[in-house]
Amino acid sequence: MQLTNKIIVITGGTTGIGFATAKLAIDQGARVVVTGRDPRTLAAARSELGGKADVIAADSTRLDDLDRLFAEVRTRHGRIDLLFVNAGGGAFRPIEEADEAHYDQIMDLNAKSAFFTIQKALPLLGRGSSVVLNASIVASKGFPGTAVYSLAKAAVRQIARSFGAELVTRGIRVNAISPGPIDTPIFDKVGLGDGRDGFVAQMEASNPMKRIGRPEEIARAVLFFGSDDASFITGVDLPIDGGVSSF
Ligand SMILES: NC(=O)c1ccc[n+]([C@@H]2O[C@H](COP(=O)([O-])OP(=O)(O)OC[C@H]3O[C@@H](n4cnc5c(N)ncnc54)[C@H](OP(=O)(O)O)[C@@H]3O)[C@@H](O)[C@H]2O)c1
């Protein structure tokens, strides 16, 4: 992939999949902007990326933060070639325990943030640019305890179709990826508590490849979609899951 001088904006790029994508993009010659919220992970990313990326504090659920983010990107880079809409996450709860606050928080973090991130970035996305959304295999398969997260990711997956259809005449491609379980800090954040290691072991055992994925395995697909090699691909959703959603 040739990404020299491409401008790549990655929301939620301070850890996990977003961070791995930032590192690979830098290696491929891109100019990278990553965002996050937590001052500690922002500082760690800044130090690990060693000045090779702009690391900007911006909460993707806050529209004023998105306005400020894209104003900064405009000033520093003038355009976006690849927007990786990656910020998101979840908390797993059985149906009875998923109250209104939980519902709103997970929908805002994944679906609302994705919608407005792209809307606000549009003035910087020109002909030949592209958007990749991070959905999940939970968007198309039922798993107990993940109803709200699954709804939110189904909305994310739909954004690739709806925005893709609307933006195709402007020369902007919009695709989604749907990772299976990937080894990132997300498993410490979804409320598994002491069940974390058992959950991961179960994910490994039930995967046809008998392992979970690595963030770099997602990064390569994201950068492919963002590269000129994917020039005729829009509106798709690519599972990257060791086959677990298929067999
Ligand atoms: N790992 C998996 O198994 C898996 C599978 C399918 C899909 N995904 C999706 O992949 C994406 C990345 O997750 P990950 O696994 O790499 O987990 P992660 O390591 O927890 O990364 C999440 C990233 O998003 C940032 N973030 C969270 N909320 C944000 C907000 N409101 N505004 C801006 N940034 C925010 C985090 O920064 P802070 O530290 O500042 O919060 C962090 O940089 C998520 O959308 C997730 O749903 C993950």
Side-chain angles (χ1 to χ4, degrees):
M1 282 172 296
Q2 190 49 265
L3 299 175
T4 307
N5 291 329
K6 293 240 186 220
I7 311 296
I8 301 185
V9 175
I10 303 169
T11 65
T14 51
T15 64
I17 293 167
F19 185 70
T21 308
K23 283 206 295 195
L24 187 60
I26 291 165
D27 288 348
Q28 305 277 335
R31 290 148 69 195
V32 174
V33 178
V34 302
T35 72
R37 295 168 308 178
D38 182 336
R40 285 164 305 177
T41 45
L42 283 162
R46 216 168 261 130
S47 136
E48 278 195 63
L49 294 174
K52 291 186 185 147
D54 299 327
V55 180
I56 297 177
D59 182 337
S60 292
T61 66
R62 295 179 55 97
L63 273 54
D64 50 350
D65 274 21
L66 292 173
D67 285 332
R68 182 175 46 76
L69 166 66
F70 293 118
E72 279 192 51
V73 173
R74 177 185 290 282
T75 303
R76 293 183 196 195
H77 302 289
R79 68 174 200 281
I80 299 172
D81 297 308
L82 167 61
L83 174 65
F84 182 27
V85 184
N86 170 70
F92 297 162
R93 288 202 192 165
I95 295 166
E96 291 88 347
E97 291 171 27
D99 59 14
E100 188 179 9
H102 169 79
Y103 185 96
D104 288 345
Q105 191 220 334
I106 302 301
M107 292 299 279
D108 283 1
L109 176 55
N110 294 282
K112 176 184 166 188
S113 71
F115 187 98
F116 287 106
T117 296
I118 302 170
Q119 184 197 71
K120 301 278 183 191
L122 265 182
L124 295 172
L125 290 163
R127 193 159 280 281
S129 65
S130 83
V131 177
V132 177
L133 292 129
N134 199 341
S136 167
I137 57 166
V138 303
S140 51
K141 185 174 174 178
F143 293 93
T146 69
V148 181
Y149 182 56
S150 298
L151 280 175
K153 288 302 193 182
V156 170
R157 193 273 166 263
Q158 182 57 30
I159 289 172
R161 290 195 191 93
S162 302
F163 281 42
E166 196 161 329
L167 299 177
V168 69
T169 53
R170 297 194 215 175
I172 303 170
R173 296 179 297 103
V174 187
N175 292 293
I177 53 158
S178 279
I182 307 300
D183 188 9
T184 75
I186 201 170
F187 296 119
D188 302 321
K189 303 176 183 174
V190 292
L192 293 165
D194 291 343
R196 181 211 183 278
D197 291 348
F199 177 82
V200 172
Q202 193 208 327
M203 292 293 110
E204 288 169 340
S206 61
N207 193 288
M209 294 196 183
K210 300 297 171 212
R211 66 175 179 89
I212 63 173
R214 296 183 291 274
E216 299 73 25
E217 293 175 304
I218 307 300
R220 288 195 284 271
V222 173
L223 296 182
F224 165 71
F225 276 129
S227 75
D228 297 338
D229 292 343
S231 53
F232 201 50
I233 304 176
T234 191
V236 309
D237 172 30
L238 179 70
I240 312 170
D241 63 359
V244 73
S245 62
S246 301
F247 46 82

